Structures are given as structure tokens and as C-alpha cells.
Amino acid sequence: MPFYIFSQTKLVSWNIENFGKSKSEQTINYIANSLREYDIIAIQEVVAGYGGAQAVARLADELNRKGTKWDYVISDPTSSSAYKTERYAFIWKTSKVTKIGRAWLEKKYHLEIDREPYFCTFEYENKQFTVVNFHAITKKRQPETEIKYFKYLPDEYPNLNLIFAGDFNCPQSHTVFNPLKKMGYTSILIGQKTSLKQECKNNNCLASEFDNMYFKSSKVNTINSGIIPFYKNFNSLKEARIISDHIPIWFEFSLN
């Protein structure tokens, strides 16, 4: 039996649209059931006001009721004044991974990046990795103008094994990712659309290739990756979009 079956981590990332007090108990329960098999959950688009932090706590509480102990951390609101400030969150299984130190919002490029990324370091079987949780500005506002600063982050944190995760509002094929690719970073998904259309046409329900994760292939071994096409459980995309307008993406990996 291959050794890696015992030493792997499952990271899931989800832009949960407007994650706050508008999400009903039923919705929170649905999200918990969708994500309970993973070890670390990275969430984008947590509402900056009171209801956002509360929604994360409600989700963690719901996950805790399902038989495994989870903990969570929530960022301060991002510093963007010109645009829509939000929070990020991480929720993780305490039996699988340990959070190391404090999580932090990126300070150095907070003027250049509207919703500066949120870093959290985890330890798994004595090896550490840092998830960089990010939600870019919308496509029409040119997210590549922010993403171009990501090439500086590996040098800024030379001792960290960075895994970039989130909604980049930009496909992995965009040239803005070339500097990271030249440094040895690879995306988990290629050509995979992750946002929902308003309605399905000929069974085609996904709109844009926006959500992804980028990891350094010399430090991280891919075991598996994919999407959770949760919208298939609903009668219409209108119903599915009550949960979110994006689908979750996931990455199962081991560390070198």
C-alpha cells in the first residue's frame, strides 16, 4: 500500500458569496455537509460587518456537531477603501493539522492589492505550509494589476512553503502568472470553470475559470485535485446561487 495514503492533507477553497447573516441555518448546514471531508477550509467573501464573523462561527459550530473538532480564524476587514472590504477565514480539523503562530493580512502590498491576502501557516506531520487566501478585484477592474505583485511574495517569505488559494478573477493561462510559473509554481486546475452562470444552457452551467490554487511543485506533491459541483444538487442555478455563485475547489497533497 503506498505510504502517501496516510500522509496527506485536503485543502478546500470556496468563495462563498456574501457570507454573512443572509445565510440561513439550512444553507450553513448544506455548506458544512459539503466541506466536512476536508482538513482545511479557506473561505473568501466573508462579510466585513458583524454578520460575517458570526457566519464563520456558525459554520464551525455546525461542523463541530458532525463528530470532528474544528477551529477557525477570521481576518480583520481588508484595508481597501476604494472597493468592497471583506474578511477571509480559515477553518481546520484540529486532529489533522495545527495552526502555527498568528494568521496575518499581507501588509507590504496592501495599497497595491485591494483585498490583501490572508496568510495562515499549518503544520502537518512536522512539516509546515502556508495558505495564502485571496479574493481579487473583479475582472472588469483588471485583477492582473494586483496579481502581478504575487511574484514578490515568495522572496518576501523565503522560509515559507506558500500555497496560493482563492478567487483570482483571472484564468491560470493569463500571462500575469508566468513569473510564478517560472519560479516553479503550478496550478491545481487547468481549463476548469468555477463560477456559476445565471442559468444552464445545454447542461453548460459554469461561466469563468477564476478559482485556483498555485503551489511549488518541488515542495508539494499532488495526490488529487478537483471541484465540488454542488449546483447539481439543485433544481436550478437560481436555487444553487443562494449558497454561492462559485463552486469549491480542492487539493489533496503531501509535503516533501
Side-chain angles (χ1 to χ4, degrees):
M1 189 180 268
F3 172 68
Y4 68 68
I5 287 184
F6 302 104
S7 60
Q8 61 211 22
T9 309
K10 290 181 179 172
L11 167 65
V12 63
S13 170
W14 199 355
N15 171 345
I16 307 180
E17 185 182 16
N18 201 21
F19 193 51
K21 58 180 182 285
S22 67
K23 301 296 187 201
S24 67
E25 283 312 310
Q26 192 182 358
T27 293
I28 295 275
N29 186 41
Y30 182 85
I31 293 169
N33 280 328
S34 303
L35 303 179
R36 60 190 287 190
E37 299 305 320
Y38 299 87
D39 302 323
I40 302 169
I41 303 166
I43 302 173
Q44 303 90 45
E45 219 173 289
V46 177
V47 173
Y50 174 67
Q54 219 183 8
V56 176
R58 284 159 64 206
L59 177 55
D61 197 41
E62 194 59 56
L63 285 162
N64 275 320
R65 285 200 198 112
K66 298 186 188 300
T68 313
K69 175 80 179 75
W70 297 74
D71 201 352
Y72 66 93
V73 64
I74 306 167
S75 76
D76 289 335
T78 53
S79 63
S80 55
S81 49
Y83 195 49
K84 191 175 153 219
T85 180
E86 291 170 6
R87 297 177 189 262
Y88 297 101
F90 289 104
I91 311 178
W92 66 93
K93 274 182 187 153
T94 55
S95 62
K96 288 294 297 252
V97 293
T98 307
K99 177 172 152 290
I100 302 294
R102 296 182 61 161
W104 72 96
L105 284 168
E106 173 56 43
K107 292 283 180 276
K108 193 164 182 185
Y109 300 104
H110 75 102
L111 297 175
E112 293 82 2
I113 301 174
D114 234 74
R115 292 179 288 231
E116 65 273 31
Y118 187 47
F119 292 67
C120 192
T121 299
F122 295 97
E123 185 169 277
Y124 178 71
E125 298 200 336
N126 301 320
K127 293 177 180 172
Q128 294 183 6
F129 58 96
T130 302
V131 184
V132 183
N133 197 350
F134 180 58
H135 185 198
I137 52 178
T138 57
K139 190 178 174 198
K140 63 174 183 285
R141 296 189 65 228
Q142 297 176 304
E144 59 275 17
T145 58
E146 308 186 306
I147 297 165
K148 68 182 186 189
Y149 292 98
F150 276 55
K151 64 180 181 236
Y152 302 121
L153 296 176
D155 283 342
E156 197 186 331
Y157 300 100
N159 301 323
L160 300 183
N161 180 8
L162 301 179
I163 299 176
F164 300 100
D167 175 8
F168 295 87
N169 277 313
C170 198
Q172 54 74 37
S173 55
H174 195 290
T175 54
V176 75
F177 292 110
N178 287 356
L180 279 177
K181 289 174 183 173
K182 284 200 179 88
M183 289 177 204
Y185 282 83
T186 308
S187 64
I188 64 163
L189 302 173
I190 292 180
Q192 174 63 61
K193 294 176 175 176
T194 59
S195 63
L196 296 184
K197 294 184 164 190
Q198 294 295 337
E199 53 188 62
C200 297
K201 299 224 165 68
N202 306 326
N203 245 355
N204 186 358
C205 309
L206 297 174
S208 302
E209 193 188 340
F210 283 168
D211 303 82
N212 220 321
M213 298 186 201
Y214 298 84
F215 66 96
K216 194 149 192 183
S217 47
S218 60
K219 294 183 176 178
V220 177
N221 303 311
T222 303
I223 293 166
N224 212 339
S225 62
I227 59 166
I228 304 175
F230 78 92
Y231 59 90
K232 292 181 177 175
N233 299 332
F234 293 86
N235 293 322
S236 68
L237 284 189
K238 191 176 177 200
E239 276 180 54
R241 290 172 73 103
I242 291 168
I243 309 283
S244 183
D245 57 351
H246 286 245
I247 59 175
I249 62 169
W250 58 270
F251 183 30
E252 190 176 355
F253 61 92
S254 62
L255 299 165
N256 284 339

